[in-house]
Amino acid sequence: MNIILLGPPGAGKGTQAAKLEAERGMVQLSTGDMLRAAVKAATPVGLQAKAVMETGGLVSDEIVTGIISERLDQPDVAKGFILDGFPRTEAQAASLDTLLTEKNMKLDHVIELEVDEAILADRVTGRFTCAKCGTGYHDRYKLPVVPDVCDVCGSTEFKRRADDNAETVRARMAEYHAKTAPILPYYEAKGLVARVDGMADIAHVSEAIEAILDKR
Ligand code: AP5
Ligand code: MG
């Protein structure tokens, strides 16, 4: 099963993709995570992407499509993949179709996480992750059980994303409305879109997604 998780910054794409990975063995393909890794490693792609990401803009279609194409060639994607943060423009959606045809793969669902925009800035600016294992937390909605100790690996080091400040979040939201939301009709025409209430708590959002995946 291959799916796209679509939704604005803070909608819960990464949270739900990680759950699907843990519970169904699917593979999360997050272009945001891949680009952040490239920035950290100061690769040529990372050097180009850094400034764009810090202002909340979109990295070029060529770069992200190239990254996804390479990732789709790795054997683990045969377990089923979750595209998280890709495609994000009409050009990326068209390129994805070409790639999938070339690689003899297909999409089963495009799941849109519907959220009330007023709460998104709060979700994003309150977010932090374990610096060692990457488990996600939130200042109010999901704190570690033992304060300042990761529930999963016991690390006491946490980090926040450079683009998780109020100003950049506004820019990311604007990009979502201008360039990403318009790709929904493309997938609606293919009969692939299902919508989930992303305002429900994390477990309920997860149940709703599982129900869509299990319907087939
Ligand atoms: P990316 O990393 O994809 O960021 P984003 O789309 O802005 O989305 P986020 O990761 O902020 O949100 P999310 O939906 O994953 O929410 P999460 O699960 O963490 O992209 C970053 C940048 O990279 C872009 O701005 C761009 O520059 C570049 N880029 C990436 N892909 C690109 C592409 N294809 N083309 C061009 N450029 C690209 O949840 C957020 C918080 O809320 C967490 O703390 C979580 O615990 C909490 N939470 C989640 N669900 C719930 C819930 N149901 N109830 C309560 N709290 C919840
Ligand atoms: Mg994410």
Side-chain angles (χ1 to χ4, degrees), residues 33-209:
D33 287 349
M34 294 173 204
L35 289 167
R36 279 184 287 279
V39 169
K40 196 172 172 202
T43 64
V45 162
L47 294 174
Q48 279 189 62
K50 187 171 188 287
V52 179
M53 293 173 78
E54 280 173 358
T55 55
L58 292 185
V59 175
S60 80
D61 290 335
E62 290 70 25
I63 286 181
V64 286
T65 303
I67 291 177
I68 281 291
S69 176
E70 277 178 25
R71 188 63 186 84
L72 287 174
D73 287 336
Q74 291 173 28
D76 61 338
V77 298
K79 295 190 281 185
F81 57 79
I82 310 140
L83 287 166
D84 160 9
F86 181 92
R88 243 176 163 98
T89 63
E90 285 170 348
Q92 290 179 23
S95 299
L96 176 62
D97 271 353
T98 308
L99 287 177
L100 293 176
T101 305
E102 282 170 9
K103 297 175 198 293
N104 205 17
M105 296 170 170
K106 74 174 184 62
L107 276 177
D108 296 286
H109 298 284
V110 175
I111 300 178
E112 184 193 9
L113 298 173
E114 291 186 302
V115 278
D116 177 352
E117 217 170 291
I119 61 126
L120 292 184
D122 177 54
R123 274 198 193 172
V124 173
T125 54
R127 167 175 57 189
F128 62 100
T129 54
C130 170
K132 194 170 166 203
C133 73
T135 299
Y137 296 97
H138 192 278
D139 290 330
R140 278 172 300 285
Y141 310 129
K142 191 187 166 213
L143 282 165
V145 176
V146 177
D148 303 321
V149 179
C150 176
D151 296 347
V152 175
C153 75
S155 168
T156 52
E157 275 183 52
F158 296 89
K159 60 180 182 181
R160 289 178 192 263
R161 271 170 48 178
D163 59 347
D164 279 352
N165 57 76
E167 192 186 336
T168 309
V169 171
R170 269 196 299 277
R172 284 157 56 196
M173 215 71 88
E175 288 286 63
Y176 179 80
H177 288 299
K179 296 175 185 160
T180 308
I183 70 178
L184 272 162
Y186 179 80
Y187 289 114
E188 265 161 3
K190 294 172 181 277
L192 289 175
V193 177
R195 294 190 164 80
V196 162
D197 175 14
M199 300 294 289
D201 63 42
I202 290 171
H204 282 100
V205 175
S206 182
E207 275 171 28
I209 293 173

